[in-house]
Amino acid sequence: MLRRYIAEQPTSRLAVWARRTAAFSLIATILAIVIVRSGLLEFKPALATFGGALVFSIVALLLAFAAFVVIWREGLMGIGYSLTAIGIGLALLAYPGYLRAGILSAALDLRHHDGSDRSAAL
């Protein structure tokens, strides 16, 4: 009996590398948090590690969006890999982005404060 040959469709290399980069940034972030919590390193080197992990998550996002373009144009597989990379990248960037927004809003509130709070004088 003859075996039926099922050809696999090629997967986008950019999507695969986006997921790999996102996984690396996730692991680096977890290691940086564990190192700071356990006290193995000082704060500054661990902060540099965390910053590097965030840079890798930005690279993963860029690779994932580039993979979307390649997948759309060439009809390749790999949309799941791209979505996974986007999910991990956005999850890693969400909390630092939230903190940055809080710092900016606090700075704007202090800049517009004129010191004429009459309710405290009563």
Side-chain angles (χ1 to χ4, degrees), residues 38-105:
S38 66
L40 293 174
L41 280 178
E42 296 179 15
F43 183 71
K44 285 186 180 181
L47 187 62
T49 304
F50 184 69
L54 292 181
V55 168
F56 271 102
S57 66
I58 292 170
V59 170
L61 283 172
L62 293 175
L63 285 173
F65 287 127
F68 277 148
V69 172
V70 171
I71 289 168
W72 182 265
R73 287 186 172 201
E74 298 180 13
L76 299 175
M77 301 290 289
I79 195 79
Y81 292 161
S82 296
L83 290 176
T84 302
I86 288 174
I88 292 172
L90 289 179
L92 289 177
L93 292 173
Y95 187 66
Y98 170 74
L99 290 178
R100 179 70 178 159
I103 290 170
L104 286 176
S105 67

Side-chain angles (χ1 to χ4, degrees), residues 19-43:
R19 188 177 73 166
R20 288 177 184 167
T21 308
F24 176 76
S25 66
L26 178 66
I27 292 168
T29 301
I30 291 170
L31 283 176
I33 292 171
V34 167
I35 286 171
V36 167
R37 293 289 184 177
S38 66
L40 293 174
L41 280 178
E42 296 179 15
F43 183 71

